[in-house]
Amino acid sequence: MSHAAIAEKPASTLRGARLPKWSPWAIAAGSLALAVAIGLGAGLDSKVQWGLIAGILFLVGTYGIAARVEGRRQAKDRIATGLVWTAFLIAVVPLVSLVWVTISRGVKVLNVYFLTHSMGIVADSQPGGGIYHAIIGSLEQVALATLIAAPVGILTAIYLVEYGRGKLSRAVTFFVDVMTGVPSIVAGLFILSLMLIFKMEPFGFAGSLALAILMMPVVVRSTEEMLKLVPNELREASLALGVPKWRTILKVVLPTSIGGITTGIMLAIARITGETAPVLLLVFGNRFINNNPFEGAQQSLPLYIYQQYAAGADASYDRAWAASLTLIAFVMILNLVARGIARWKAPKTGR
């Protein structure tokens, strides 16, 4: 065969027919329009029902069109991708709805006055008042709980990863796993029993102790996983130079994993910030400002939200939603700080 004949022969390809890139959007739009028509025709008033019908039509339509054009194998792949997107939307819709409702109802009374004043002598049924006393209480209680739980959790994780062997290590791991699932009310009842034994009145630090109990297993678990990610070669290189093990942990292991450890602590703080049951039992709430967590009842944001919503008045509902928006913003800021620290301390940055 001559070179000219070879050149004229068309090159074979393994690629078959494929749907255009805009086809999923077109199928989704058609499914949504058909779902709305079905919903209106059947008298379905719920938008959730329309969404479920649209999701089913999208999956069926995607499989039918893809199987006809691309084949059944590629159609199954598109169905799997569609299921992932559908699950993502199902998870996002309640979250977006929650944030939207909280913002729309919380901004009614959320202003500088609301953030810088306490309830004082304002009745729950009256407009006015604020959450300054609740912000002070939450910050102090969470800060004290962090000062207790973070060092204990980090040292426990270091023991489990670097030193723990045998029955004691397995027992500690077992109890950490059990504590991870302990309800918050149980931690509150434990501290309350100690308060009753010693005949103590409600005070802010008691709530911090219960929150520390809830925070410790989260810190231990997250720190333990971060320490396990540190390559053993770094430990071996340090020990080969004659550096003691404790100094290797302090100068090599912890700096390498500090970003992940800090992120875990931040997420643990975000987890305990919204706890209500221990605070209700131990801190008891206070309408006035109490800057001393070691004496007298104190307020916190979760307890404030519960009490205002339980009051049942329009003014108290507005304050409850505004306090909820403040609490969500606080947790979101903590998560953003955790992500920023993790990115800043990531090994790829060379820092």
Side-chain angles (χ1 to χ4, degrees):
M1 184 177 293
S2 64
H3 292 287
I6 294 176
E8 293 175 358
K9 185 177 180 180
S12 60
T13 178
L14 297 178
R15 296 185 61 183
R18 293 184 63 84
L19 292 173
K21 293 182 178 181
W22 49 264
S23 60
W25 298 102
I27 297 173
S31 301
L32 183 60
L34 186 56
V36 172
I38 294 174
L40 293 175
L44 302 176
D45 297 330
S46 175
K47 302 299 187 297
V48 176
Q49 294 175 325
W50 294 8
L52 292 176
I53 295 174
I56 295 173
L57 292 176
F58 173 77
L59 294 176
V60 173
T62 299
Y63 182 81
I65 296 174
R68 186 176 182 84
V69 177
E70 300 177 337
R72 291 186 177 181
R73 183 175 181 178
Q74 188 65 25
K76 293 179 181 178
D77 180 74
R78 288 186 177 273
I79 282 292
T81 304
L83 288 173
V84 171
W85 277 102
T86 302
F88 169 74
L89 291 176
I90 291 175
V92 166
V93 167
L95 177 61
V96 173
S97 176
L98 172 66
V99 174
W100 172 255
V101 172
T102 306
I103 292 176
S104 61
R105 301 193 63 172
V107 295
K108 293 181 179 179
V109 297
L110 185 60
N111 49 37
V112 177
Y113 179 88
F114 183 74
L115 296 174
T116 55
H117 286 75
S118 66
M119 289 301 295
I121 59 174
V122 178
D124 290 336
S125 59
Q126 297 176 342
I131 58 172
Y132 180 75
H133 59 311
I135 293 176
I136 294 297
S138 288
L139 290 177
E140 291 181 349
Q141 293 160 28
V142 171
L144 290 172
T146 305
L147 290 176
I148 297 171
V152 175
I154 292 174
L155 292 175
T156 302
I158 291 175
Y159 165 76
L160 292 176
V161 176
E162 303 293 340
Y163 297 98
R165 299 292 184 274
K167 294 182 179 180
L168 179 59
S169 175
R170 290 193 295 269
V172 172
T173 302
F174 172 76
F175 282 110
V176 168
D177 293 337
V178 171
M179 288 179 63
T180 304
V182 169
S184 59
I185 190 67
V186 176
L189 288 174
F190 171 70
I191 301 299
L192 180 61
S193 63
L194 297 179
M195 292 174 60
L196 293 176
I197 292 174
F198 294 101
K199 298 180 180 180
M200 303 173 68
E201 297 294 329
F203 60 111
F205 184 65
S208 299
L209 293 175
L211 296 178
I213 293 175
L214 298 173
M215 186 177 176
M216 280 182 199
V218 180
V219 176
V220 172
R221 269 286 160 259
S222 59
T223 304
E224 186 178 1
E225 295 302 322
M226 290 301 104
L227 294 178
K228 288 180 180 179
L229 293 177
V230 178
N232 283 328
E233 289 78 4
L234 294 178
R235 297 181 176 89
E236 294 171 356
S238 178
L239 295 174
L241 294 174
V243 180
K245 188 170 184 177
W246 69 269
R247 195 170 182 83
T248 298
I249 296 171
L250 187 63
K251 295 294 185 179
V252 177
V253 178
L254 288 179
T256 304
S257 57
I258 190 63
I261 294 174
T262 307
T263 302
I265 294 174
M266 289 291 183
L267 295 178
I269 294 174
R271 182 245 192 264
I272 66 171
T273 301
E275 290 293 344
T276 308
V279 180
L280 179 62
L281 288 174
L282 306 172
V283 180
F284 213 65
N286 193 342
R287 303 180 67 86
F288 297 90
I289 299 172
N290 180 12
N291 294 322
N292 186 2
F294 298 98
E295 183 180 358
Q298 204 175 31
Q299 189 61 275
S300 72
L301 277 173
L303 182 57
Y304 178 90
I305 295 169
Y306 168 76
Q307 291 175 341
Q308 290 298 310
Y309 197 84
D314 291 338
S316 64
Y317 286 154
D318 292 339
R319 286 191 293 265
W321 282 108
S324 300
L325 181 57
T326 305
L327 186 60
I328 290 177
F330 178 68
V331 174
M332 183 180 67
I333 291 172
L334 285 179
N335 281 273
L336 292 176
V337 170
R339 288 179 176 272
I341 293 175
R343 185 178 295 241
W344 176 45
K345 289 294 184 178
K348 63 181 179 182
T349 63
R351 307 179 86 164

